[in-house]
Amino acid sequence: MKPEGKGYFLKEYGSWSVLTVAFLIGLGVSRALPWQAILLYLALGLLINSKQAYTKWVRKMDDRTPLGIFLGQVAFAAVILVALIGGGIPQLLPLLVLPAAYLLMNRLAGEHFVVTELLGFALLSLAAVLAKFLVVQGVDVRLFVATALYFTAGVFKVKAVLFKKPRDRVLTVLYVLFALYAYGRFHIAAIVLLPLVENIIMAVTLYKVRLQTTGWIEVAKSLAFLGLMMYYF
């Protein structure tokens, strides 16, 4: 998830895709589509986009402009969230551990460190929790577990595809098995993880397709995951 370009728009289309699908999952399992969801998505988009400015600041900390833009986006998003959620804010405060951990790991270990990437996708998965919270005013831990375990599995798949090391291929398979185990412990239907069968096939065979095709495969898998979550969760 590497920031690109000289501006302050985050051109990580994979991140935007995960954010959007996770957000739709939260609304889908809630069986609701309130108009406030538009504002919530805007706030979450600002928070995700602020990574571009944060990364620029980390790389050149004597330049205060990126820091100001980062803080400005976070502040604007916070105002929207407070206006939307109001009295529910105290329930969401524990969730701040994730963005804090991500920013810290990004600063100390870099954005491509495996723990940083796992935290990044877990952070994006919070969109599902917040979307549902907007409707039911309650934090759904099971929803977070279901969404985060699915999307974080992609971290190991990408490393297996890029580096083709036996260790990464084994970790890709083991992580899917771990996700299945965790789903069982949280009483989540295992069939929801059906799209991750492709991760195992890739890890075993290392089949080759064009990069653009790989992107469309991931989009199709995410949409299938969205449908399965809406039906079985």
Side-chain angles (χ1 to χ4, degrees):
M1 302 201 308
K2 182 180 179 180
E4 301 175 9
K6 297 180 179 180
Y8 289 93
F9 177 73
L10 186 65
K11 295 181 180 179
E12 294 177 2
Y13 303 115
S15 296
W16 288 110
S17 175
V18 172
L19 172 69
T20 302
V21 173
F23 189 75
L24 292 175
I25 287 172
L27 295 177
V29 300
S30 303
R31 304 293 191 272
L33 186 60
W35 68 266
Q36 294 93 334
I38 298 174
L39 295 177
L40 178 58
Y41 185 80
L42 172 62
L44 295 178
L46 283 170
L47 291 174
I48 297 305
N49 192 69
S50 69
K51 179 196 169 184
Q52 181 81 356
Y54 177 79
T55 304
K56 285 177 177 287
W57 175 64
V58 167
R59 291 174 178 173
K60 193 176 180 181
M61 300 191 73
D62 58 336
D63 185 358
R64 301 291 180 175
T65 300
L67 177 61
I69 293 174
F70 165 71
L71 294 176
Q73 290 183 80
V74 171
F76 190 25
V79 169
I80 296 175
L81 290 173
V82 170
L84 288 176
I85 298 171
I89 291 295
Q91 296 183 61
L92 298 176
L93 290 179
L95 301 182
L96 291 178
V97 171
L98 268 178
Y102 174 78
L103 293 174
L104 180 62
M105 289 303 301
N106 191 312
R107 174 71 180 89
L108 297 178
E111 60 184 310
H112 297 301
F113 184 58
V114 62
V115 176
T116 308
E117 293 186 346
L118 289 171
L119 285 169
F121 282 104
L123 185 56
L124 291 168
S125 300
L126 282 180
V129 178
L130 293 173
K132 185 175 181 180
F133 189 92
L134 183 66
V135 178
V136 303
Q137 292 293 301
V139 176
D140 191 335
V141 176
R142 288 176 66 250
L143 179 61
F144 173 71
V145 170
T147 308
L149 284 176
Y150 172 80
F151 285 116
T152 51
V155 172
F156 298 99
K157 177 192 171 181
V158 169
K159 291 188 179 297
V161 169
L162 291 178
F163 305 118
K164 298 178 174 59
K165 294 181 179 179
R167 181 191 64 181
D168 295 320
R169 296 169 68 183
V170 170
L171 284 174
T172 299
V173 176
L174 289 179
Y175 192 84
V176 173
L177 296 178
F178 166 72
L180 280 169
Y181 170 76
Y183 264 47
R185 296 290 294 178
F186 280 88
H187 305 289
I188 305 169
I191 194 173
V192 174
L193 288 176
L194 185 61
L196 292 188
V197 170
E198 189 272 339
N199 291 38
I200 296 177
I201 294 173
M202 183 285 307
V204 173
T205 66
L206 284 181
Y207 70 88
K208 296 181 180 180
V209 294
R210 293 189 305 172
L211 183 61
Q212 185 179 21
T213 303
T214 299
W216 283 113
I217 288 174
E218 291 304 313
V219 170
K221 286 167 58 182
S222 294
L223 293 177
F225 178 66
L226 167 61
L228 290 167
M229 281 290 289
M230 290 177 63
Y231 188 83
Y232 287 102
F233 188 80

